[in-house]
């Protein structure tokens, strides 16, 4: 019988990624609802010392798979390791971060264990779900299902999906959507899980790992974000937002409209089809506040909105709203901050 909630704890260069702790936090909530346990699956090499941090984050235990073939991520070797754990442990739920690695790994794992996969989820809940029966048959109520919600049709609707007949129920989850728990003194176990690898499991040869010097800003880590939308009018408009962000000690982000117009890079996009952020301060400049954008930033601690349209939806979710021309307001605000 399938039991417990398992999380793939992604690591890079021996460092467990933030999304792993976020997933453990959500898994803890789901497992408590089901009265089950949380286990993290950690795959790599020389990860003994890092495993305990996952228990401190809320896991009841860690399943540790180590081998020299797992030192660097390769699809085939990691898929074999995770599939072996799932077949042995038979989890009820298995969660993976929707990162570059997670998006490569998850579909291969789900295909090999013959279960469904809901990708790029923004919400996970336990609930009951009625299944519509075929004509002449009675409808069935499925209890304690994982209700997996994700944007669909370009973010225009939110679809809730369930995997009624196969286990585990699998989902990839966007980084930044879930919240990690505060570090606790939880007592847990670290189980070393052996998987036999051979040459066939390494179908690619890693000749060299080249790390670029380009540092990509992760807006999900920023405490302060100054975000621009269609109201900026052009890419040049982001110059004044950069000045304001620098004065505040924050980063620049954007709505989908600004990204679609080519004014700013995709990795700065906030919203259902971008990144979910929770900064201490979010300044929305020239952003109307459509539901797709609001879904990615409405959990911010304090939201300031600047928009010339009094009826803009953004004013319905902000803590402080300013109706006016951002091209006049932003420079004055920046100047005042620099003086202080």
């Amino acid at each position: 019988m399938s039991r417990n909630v398992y999380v793939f704890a992604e690591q890079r260069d021996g460092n467990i990624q933030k999304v792993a702790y976020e997933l453990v936090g959500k898994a803890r909530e789901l497992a408590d609802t089901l009265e089950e346990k949380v286990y993290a699956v950690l795959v790599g090499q020389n990860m003994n010392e890092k495993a305990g941090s996952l228990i401190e984050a809320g896991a009841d235990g860690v399943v540790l798979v180590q081998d020299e073939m797992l030192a660097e991520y390769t699809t085939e070797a990691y898929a074999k390791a995770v599939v072996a754990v799932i077949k042995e442990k038979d989890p009820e739920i298995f969660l993976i971060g929707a990162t570059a690695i997670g998006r490569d790994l998850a579909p291969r794992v789900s295909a090999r264990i013959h279960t469904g996969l809901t990708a790029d989820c923004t919400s996970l809940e336990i609930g009951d779900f009625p299944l519509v029966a075929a004509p002449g048959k009675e409808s069935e109520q499925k209890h304690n299902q994982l209700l997996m919600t994700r944007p669909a049709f370009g973010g225009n609707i939110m679809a809730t999906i369930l995997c009624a007949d196969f286990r585990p129920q699998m989902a990839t989850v966007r980084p930044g959507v879930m919240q990690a728990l505060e570090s606790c003194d939880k007592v847990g176990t670290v189980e070393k899980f052996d998987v036999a690898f051979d040459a066939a499991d390494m179908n690619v040869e890693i000749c060299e790992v080249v790390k670029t010097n380009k540092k990509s800003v992760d807006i999900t880590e920023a405490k302060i974000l100054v975000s621009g939308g269609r109201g900026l009018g052009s890419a040049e408009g982001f110059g004044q937002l950069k000045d304001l962000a620098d004065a505040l000690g924050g980063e620049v982000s954007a709505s989908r409209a600004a990204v679609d117009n080519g004014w700013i890079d995709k990795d700065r996009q906030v919203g259902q089809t971008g990144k979910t952020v929770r900064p201490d301060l979010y300044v929305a400049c020239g952003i109307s506040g459509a539901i797709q954008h609001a879904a990615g930033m409405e959990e911010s601690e304090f939201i300031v909105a600047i928009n010339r349209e009094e009826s803009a939806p953004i004013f319905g979710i902000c803590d402080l709203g300013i109706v006016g021309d951002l091209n006049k307001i932003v420079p004055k605000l920046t100047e005042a901050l620099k003086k202080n």
Side-chain angles (χ1 to χ4, degrees), residues 114-137:
H114 192 62
T115 192
L117 171 68
T118 303
D120 212 23
C121 293
T122 57
S123 175
L124 299 172
E125 303 294 339
I126 300 296
D128 299 335
F129 202 91
L131 294 181
V132 178
K137 294 186 177 181

Side-chain angles (χ1 to χ4, degrees), residues 76-96:
E76 192 61 33
Y78 270 60
K80 181 175 182 176
V82 174
V83 167
V85 171
I86 291 176
K87 287 184 175 180
E88 173 71 23
K89 303 298 183 182
D90 192 21
E92 174 75 10
I93 295 170
F94 196 90
L95 306 178
I96 299 179

Side-chain angles (χ1 to χ4, degrees), residues 224-302:
I224 297 174
L225 285 174
V226 179
S227 201
R230 194 191 307 275
L232 286 178
S234 68
E236 288 70 27
F238 277 95
Q240 59 184 339
L241 297 196
K242 179 68 166 60
D243 291 340
L244 177 56
D246 289 345
L248 289 167
E251 295 290 342
V252 172
S253 56
S255 69
R256 178 176 175 175
V259 173
D260 287 348
N261 283 328
W263 298 344
I264 194 168
D265 292 339
K266 170 75 174 176
D267 61 2
R268 302 274 184 161
Q269 183 181 330
V270 174
Q272 283 180 0
T273 52
K275 295 181 179 180
T276 300
V277 297
R278 284 190 176 93
D280 295 335
L281 174 63
Y282 189 88
V283 184
C285 304
I287 294 175
S288 65
I291 188 172
Q292 292 88 347
H293 184 77
M297 47 68 74
E298 61 187 351
E299 295 297 324
S300 301
E301 189 68 26
F302 196 88

Side-chain angles (χ1 to χ4, degrees), residues 1 8 47 62 77 82 86 125 140 145 165 176 179 187 190 201 213 240 251 256 258 269 284 314 324 327:
M1 179 181 176
F8 174 70
M47 295 300 299
V62 177
V82 174
I86 291 176
E125 303 294 339
E140 182 183 359
Q145 297 294 298
D165 299 320
Q179 287 187 294
V187 176
V190 177
D201 298 319
N213 293 324
Q240 59 184 339
E251 295 290 342
R256 178 176 175 175
Q269 183 181 330
I314 193 71
N327 294 306

Side-chain angles (χ1 to χ4, degrees), residues 2 15 24 30 60 62 96 102 111 120 124 132 136 141 146-147 161 200 215 225 228 254 261 267 317-318 320 329:
S2 300
N15 297 311
V24 169
L30 299 175
D60 293 290
V62 177
I96 299 179
D120 212 23
L124 299 172
V132 178
Q141 183 86 1
L146 179 62
L147 306 182
I161 300 166
K215 187 177 180 181
L225 285 174
N261 283 328
D267 61 2
I317 60 171
C318 70
L320 174 64
I329 295 168

